[in-house]
Amino acid sequence: MNLPVDFITRTKSLLGDDWVAFVEALNSESPTSIRINNHKAEKLFLDKVLWTESGYYLPQRPSFTFDPLFHAGCYYVQEASSMFIEQAFRQYVVGGNVRILDLCAAPGGKSTLIADVMGESSLLVSNEVIRTRANILAENITKWGNPNTVVTNNDPQQIGKLQGFFDFILVDAPCSGEGMFRKDEGATSEWSIDNVKLCKERQQRILADIWSALKTEGLLLYSTCTYNVDENEENVQWICEELGAEVLPIDVKEGWGVSPSLRDSFPAYRFFPHKTKGEGFFCALLRKTSDEGSLKRRKDKEKTSKSIIPFDCKDYVKDNESFIFYSQKDRWFAFPSLLYNDLTLIKSHLNVISEGICLGEVKGKDFIPDQSLALSTYINAENFTTYDVDWKAAIAYLRKETLLLQDQPKGYILITYRNKPLGFVKNIGNRANNLYPQEWRIRSANIPETEVNII
């Protein structure tokens, strides 16, 4: 690996005697890790990622594209070090009605982790400022299936107008990407001291813009995938001094290989590839001490609609008494009743591109079930005709090819693979129209000759 000279000089001074081991690790193969969806998959008999309950290492990197369970949201391919954020949640955010923001959330690894560990009455808002990346984020959140989620596409400054709304904010800040050198060769050619400086300044602007949205005594988890002190410890110090915060400790077990902060004045957590089985990562947990006002909450109002709820719409959702059902144009949604007023407030300030469960769309006398319903952990599959397909047919479905279903009734059928929902078709007798989203379909024609089954 051709490391930039300035990077070598700066990082050598940080690591000292560990430099040689660090370089050897950078020149070794990057580990592949996944995190299972606790609501869709069972525990695996693989090497565990030590700092998370649901993370595992794979012996080699397979072709995830051709595993139907990957598309079903049964697991997420996530870098192991970044799964450490789970510890902050488990140690400081326990139960209750907690409003959480993942500010720079695309493609969705940390958001899906939060969705798994947060309480059932908590709300997760996952934001991405770049629209194309926000669409990818919405896709991954939909596949994960948690209805207590909202995906937004906004600048941090706009979200900052939700004063004191959030109890917990994760800022996984855009950075110089030093921790990704092993996985992304392009990151080394783009690296420079000037870029580090630009990243540091951008991170501070993001933090300043979002700070007012965090309530007093609320928690902010700041993280990067880079090694330098500029974007890490210096920015944590800046948050404390300029915005008003104190740094909190996170309990770490000795066997994890997590390195401490390079500053003695506060705790922070570093991951180096020669010490932990993962890529470079940094994080620090802060509590807001500055006192600011909060946005006034709207009083509870029951959602009413002039439209008539499709007769079987509610029956598609398990535990439907805990949801509010409402329409937007011809599309119908279900959202947790306890969180609906929060959703209304968010929608009055932000650009929402995904929310709760999209049940389907009314077209004439027909109700077309949506992909969001198919992949929701709350789908009441018993109210649909289901058809379990083999691997070859599952790949054909995910490529949005036409399926031929033997001896099945006409109408909407839920396609499953190993009894996990993949999506819907409309069976019209001689063929079944494939309702899988066009933008999600597998485009690769290099289909393996043997089945790909990872979990």
Side-chain angles (χ1 to χ4, degrees), residues 61-72 75 77 143 390-401 417-418 422 436 440-455:
R61 189 173 186 87
S63 178
F64 295 107
T65 299
F66 293 100
D67 181 7
L69 295 185
F70 171 65
H71 298 275
Y75 64 92
V77 185
K143 288 177 177 178
D390 60 17
W391 179 81
K392 183 177 286 188
I395 296 301
Y397 175 77
L398 295 168
R399 285 171 53 81
K400 203 172 171 60
E401 296 175 2
Y417 172 73
R418 288 168 55 182
L422 294 180
Y436 195 70
W440 291 15
R441 65 185 175 87
I442 296 175
R443 291 172 172 81
S444 173
N446 299 320
I447 302 173
E449 294 183 1
T450 57
E451 294 186 14
V452 178
N453 289 305
I454 294 166
I455 64 172

Side-chain angles (χ1 to χ4, degrees), residues 276-380:
T276 53
K277 194 175 179 180
E279 305 302 334
F281 185 69
F282 169 92
C283 72
L285 182 65
L286 301 100
R287 178 187 285 129
K288 182 175 181 177
T289 57
S290 54
D291 191 13
E292 294 177 341
S294 296
L295 201 65
K296 290 184 179 179
R297 306 281 193 270
R298 296 186 178 189
K299 292 183 179 179
D300 290 354
K301 289 184 180 180
E302 185 175 346
K303 174 67 180 177
T304 58
S305 174
K306 293 180 181 178
S307 303
I308 299 174
I309 298 176
F311 71 96
D312 52 1
C313 188
K314 286 188 175 182
D315 294 336
Y316 293 161
V317 178
K318 292 184 293 187
D319 193 23
N320 58 32
E321 67 276 2
S322 65
F323 287 88
I324 280 182
F325 295 82
Y326 57 98
S327 64
Q328 292 178 174
K329 296 183 178 178
D330 293 325
R331 302 176 78 204
W332 281 87
F333 294 81
F335 200 83
S337 302
L338 289 173
L339 303 172
Y340 184 76
N341 291 316
D342 287 343
L343 173 65
T344 303
L345 182 62
I346 290 167
K347 292 173 78 169
S348 68
H349 286 76
L350 304 180
N351 178 33
V352 172
I353 62 174
S354 173
E355 60 195 78
I357 308 169
C358 180
L359 301 171
E361 182 178 7
V362 176
K363 282 194 176 180
K365 296 181 179 180
D366 210 5
F367 185 79
I368 306 171
D370 193 85
Q371 186 69 15
S372 173
L373 174 62
L375 298 181
S376 173
T377 55
Y378 277 79
I379 184 174
N380 191 353

Side-chain angles (χ1 to χ4, degrees), residues 132-191:
T132 53
R133 287 171 55 81
N135 290 336
I136 295 170
L137 171 63
E139 176 184 339
N140 286 325
I141 294 294
T142 298
K143 288 177 177 178
W144 210 248
N146 188 320
N148 296 29
T149 55
V150 177
V151 177
T152 58
N153 172 220
N154 286 91
D155 186 272
Q157 194 172 40
Q158 186 65 29
I159 301 176
K161 295 178 182 178
L162 289 168
Q163 293 185 354
F165 182 78
F166 293 102
D167 303 283
F168 193 108
I169 296 178
L170 167 62
V171 179
D172 185 44
C175 67
S176 59
E178 296 167 355
M180 293 292 108
F181 280 0
R182 182 164 58 170
K183 294 183 72 174
D184 181 6
E185 293 182 5
T188 58
S189 59
E190 295 171 3
W191 187 94

Side-chain angles (χ1 to χ4, degrees), residues 10-109:
R10 288 161 58 94
T11 312
K12 251 187 177 181
S13 66
L14 296 179
L15 293 176
D17 294 340
D18 279 355
W19 171 253
V20 174
F22 172 73
V23 172
E24 288 177 353
L26 288 187
N27 284 290
S28 66
E29 186 176 351
S30 180
T32 299
S33 50
I34 63 171
R35 186 173 39 77
I36 62 169
N37 186 331
N38 293 324
H39 297 283
K40 295 186 177 184
E42 302 296 328
K43 291 184 178 181
L44 306 179
F45 295 99
L46 295 170
D47 289 344
K48 284 274 295 173
V49 177
L50 299 177
W51 41 87
T52 176
E53 292 186 4
S54 305
Y56 299 88
Y57 294 103
L58 300 182
Q60 58 190 13
R61 189 173 186 87
S63 178
F64 295 107
T65 299
F66 293 100
D67 181 7
L69 295 185
F70 171 65
H71 298 275
C74 293
Y75 64 92
Y76 191 95
V77 185
Q78 185 176 7
E79 199 285 305
S81 300
S82 66
M83 299 181 196
F84 180 74
I85 69 164
E86 179 176 320
Q87 293 301 316
F89 278 87
R90 292 202 181 277
Q91 294 178 33
Y92 285 92
V93 186
V94 180
N97 181 9
V98 181
R99 301 178 184 89
I100 303 163
L101 170 66
D102 184 358
L103 180 65
C104 312

